[in-house]
Amino acid sequence: MAEATMTTQKGFLGWVEKTGNKLPDPVFIFFYLIAGLIAISVIASLSGASALHPAEVDPETGERVLIQAESLLSPANIQRLWVDMPTTFTHFHPLGYVLVVMLGAGVAERAGLFGTAMRAGVRNAPKALLTPVVVLVAMIGNLAADAAYVVLIPLAGVIFAAAGRHPIAGIAAAFAGVSGGFSANLLPGQLDALLFGITEASVETVFGDWSANIAGNWFFILAMTFVFLPVIWYVTDKQLEPKLGKYVAGEDAPADPEDSDRPLTNEESKGLKRAGLAALAVIALWVFMTVGPGTPLIDEAANPEARLNPFYKSLVAGFFILFLATAWAYGSATGSIKGHRDVVKMMSGAMEDLAYYLVLAFAAAHFVAMFAWSNLGLILAVHGAAGLQALDLPMPVLLGAIVIFAGFLNLFVGSASAKWALMAPVLVPMLILLGVSPETTTAAYRVGDSATNIITPLMVYFPLILIFCQRWQKDFGLGSLMAMMIPYSIGLMIAGLVLVMAWVGLDLPLGPGAEVFADPAAYGIIEDGAAN
């Protein structure tokens, strides 16, 4: 492969590149934010910042409890920081969710299931439907995390070239699907576990116990898939490829086809069939536990709204079993898994890949916890909700603004979990006070987080995509890549905004048991005057 040649950008893109490159690693961004949070908490405490708690009443007076800002340098908070540090880290909700799901997904990736499934999905696609098939597989490929970038994107270039089309158009379409459609999918997966873990923590810091449903955006991300697909298809076939012109292989073209484009072996085909049967068996097991004798995944004694809570909570374990069973079934056919020791080794490898995430989670967990200790999140949420209520903005417009803000912030902070850990502690409680469910706020964030992934050089895979392009065109630079992906980003942002605003306007369910609007009383919020 050719060496990547970075070019210097000018104008707005140059400012984004220079500013972003000056930012520290997200781990240290959290540490700096903690330092700033400590200073702000001291000032807020000294100035007497406060708010009436929306969900707590003094049993003696019947009045709502007054919550005051607390200094993080108070003896009690200093003691809490040092004494509870292990608990603060290990009780960070996203940590358990992500680790469990990745134990299974890591085996599926290392066994070769994800890579083979993506190859099978695109290599025999009809020429007329090549672009939409590549895009759809790319969006589904998000379940495979890194494998989608490493396997599918270069493979798309090879397949487009073999079909007589420009390979860089194939790379662009796959990149837009994998990264621009980062949240779009047919099924919930690792990202849902990660984001809803943070959402859950943000609700609990203000309103107490609340259980996240990682399928809470299922219907929404399914709709995103079929809204984003025609956008990427149109930009690829009608805008990008005509500008690229007909590809003529030159001296810089790869001499041999990629190994990733080879036909499936008999063992791989057999493995995919076994994996399909294993997937059906796991789904059948979960259906049986939900509707069969004893209904262990339904709380028969709970009220109708809460009866399915055990089922929703079980989905993290469900995806772990699904990935593990399908991977083992595939690996046993191909020989990539010869016994249980191989499975354990692959699980260990998956945990090694999460080393950086664990460091990031340590920093994020303490930022979220200390934000809660200071009471600043609650105070900002209460006053922010009052301010937004006074503006009387239509709810679709307000959520559209969240989409745009998340997209802008994504230009500088690439990590989806890092951004949501920054935004959720204020946004989620604030919008609950306005009657918006946590699932809706999470959905709006994901749209903005996806749309600008493909135009920021701070995205970790951006240099890799550049190298994939230079494999076919040696003079392809960073500016070429960014200019190529901007129409996709604009199209996805507009489509995502329309989707969010229409979804909220029509009040459609975001997932099983997840509505757009939520009765604040369900979170213990007391209406003005009700406490007396």
Side-chain angles (χ1 to χ4, degrees):
M1 287 187 180
E3 292 294 327
T5 302
M6 296 298 183
T7 58
T8 302
Q9 296 297 299
K10 296 180 180 180
F12 175 72
L13 293 180
W15 175 75
V16 169
E17 183 179 358
K18 291 177 183 177
T19 304
N21 287 336
K22 291 179 181 178
L23 290 175
D25 186 275
V27 172
F28 270 81
I29 288 178
F30 276 112
F31 287 140
Y32 295 145
L33 286 171
I34 288 172
L37 177 64
I38 291 172
I40 293 172
S41 73
V42 172
I43 296 171
S45 177
L46 292 175
S47 63
S50 63
L52 291 174
H53 198 294
E56 286 188 13
V57 175
D58 188 321
E60 295 183 0
T61 64
E63 300 287 341
R64 282 195 290 176
V65 174
L66 181 68
I67 300 297
Q68 296 181 316
E70 290 198 16
S71 168
L72 291 173
L73 292 182
S74 68
N77 279 326
I78 291 175
Q79 181 188 84
R80 186 187 301 185
L81 172 64
W82 302 128
V83 173
D84 292 349
M85 185 170 284
T87 304
T88 300
F89 178 38
T90 57
H91 285 200
F92 187 48
H93 287 298
L95 190 61
Y97 291 174
V98 173
L99 290 178
V100 170
V101 173
M102 279 302 297
L103 276 174
V107 177
E109 182 174 353
R110 282 162 177 75
L113 172 60
F114 286 151
T116 300
M118 285 186 285
R119 281 172 42 225
V122 300
R123 69 177 311 274
N124 292 321
K127 288 187 179 181
L129 297 177
L130 183 55
T131 302
V133 169
V134 165
V135 174
L136 180 61
V137 173
M139 287 191 282
I140 297 173
N142 284 321
L143 293 172
D146 294 354
Y149 287 94
V150 176
V151 174
L152 183 60
I153 293 177
L155 173 59
V158 174
I159 291 174
F160 265 58
R165 299 180 60 180
H166 205 295
I168 289 181
I171 290 172
F175 183 33
V178 172
S179 197
F182 186 58
S183 280
N185 219 305
L186 302 183
L187 293 169
Q190 303 167 47
L191 182 64
D192 296 82
L194 188 153
L195 294 182
F196 274 108
I198 296 172
T199 302
E200 181 175 315
S202 301
V203 175
E204 291 188 344
T205 57
V206 176
F207 304 113
D209 289 342
W210 180 77
S211 296
N213 166 18
I214 73 164
N217 281 169
W218 188 354
F219 302 158
F220 183 80
I221 64 174
L222 183 64
M224 277 180 70
T225 303
F226 293 102
V227 168
F228 282 5
L229 191 151
V231 171
I232 300 173
W233 186 1
Y234 175 81
V235 172
T236 302
D237 288 7
K238 301 300 182 182
Q239 293 188 2
L240 174 62
E241 199 163 12
K243 293 179 181 178
L244 291 172
K246 184 174 177 59
Y247 177 73
V248 178
E251 293 181 358
D252 59 344
D256 300 311
E258 291 258 335
D259 179 65
S260 56
D261 190 38
R262 60 177 171 78
L264 298 185
T265 65
N266 291 334
E267 290 77 12
E268 288 172 334
S269 297
K270 183 179 179 181
L272 289 179
K273 291 177 183 178
R274 285 190 182 180
L277 292 174
L280 291 175
V282 173
I283 293 170
L285 174 62
W286 246 252
V287 170
F288 177 77
M289 289 190 293
T290 305
V291 301
T295 59
L297 295 183
I298 293 182
D299 186 353
E300 300 286 0
N303 59 55
E305 292 79 11
R307 291 178 72 244
L308 285 174
N309 279 348
F311 170 76
Y312 298 144
K313 291 179 181 179
S314 77
L315 289 177
V316 173
F319 281 110
F320 161 66
I321 298 297
L322 178 67
F323 287 135
L324 183 61
T326 54
W328 205 327
Y330 172 85
S332 65
T334 62
S336 58
I337 296 180
K338 297 180 176 62
H340 69 278
R341 297 185 191 279
D342 289 332
V343 173
V344 173
K345 185 177 180 180
M346 290 175 180
M347 284 183 171
S348 301
M351 294 301 100
E352 290 175 8
D353 289 347
L354 286 175
Y356 175 78
Y357 173 74
L358 293 176
V359 178
L360 177 64
F362 177 81
H366 282 83
F367 172 78
V368 171
M370 293 173 75
F371 202 59
W373 301 343
S374 69
N375 288 331
L376 290 176
L378 173 60
I379 293 169
L380 287 172
V382 170
H383 291 298
L388 290 175
Q389 201 165 26
L391 290 175
D392 198 25
L393 292 173
M395 197 54 66
V397 174
L398 176 58
L399 289 164
I402 292 174
V403 171
I404 294 172
F405 177 68
F408 178 75
L409 188 60
N410 191 42
L411 294 173
F412 305 97
V413 182
S415 168
S417 58
K419 284 192 303 297
W420 191 225
L422 292 173
M423 297 170 63
V426 173
L427 283 181
V428 172
M430 182 170 68
L431 290 178
I432 286 174
L433 293 172
L434 295 177
V436 177
S437 72
E439 292 89 352
T440 303
T441 310
T442 306
Y445 165 75
R446 327 173 53 143
V447 172
D449 175 62
S450 294
T452 53
N453 271 339
I454 50 180
I455 60 171
T456 171
L458 301 180
M459 205 272 288
V460 293
Y461 286 104
F462 210 77
L464 182 63
I465 308 305
L466 181 62
I467 292 173
F468 291 154
C469 291
Q470 288 176 342
R471 181 178 181 275
W472 298 94
Q473 183 178 325
K474 286 185 177 179
D475 61 350
F476 200 90
L478 183 64
S480 304
L481 179 55
M482 297 180 80
M484 180 174 73
M485 301 311 297
I486 283 176
Y488 289 103
S489 183
I490 293 173
L492 293 175
M493 178 62 81
I494 294 172
L497 276 169
V498 171
L499 178 63
V500 168
M501 296 173 75
W503 204 284
V504 173
L506 295 172
D507 191 13
L508 301 173
L510 292 131
E515 302 296 329
V516 168
F517 300 103
D519 182 2
Y523 298 85
I525 297 171
I526 304 160
E527 295 182 5
D528 289 336
N532 295 318

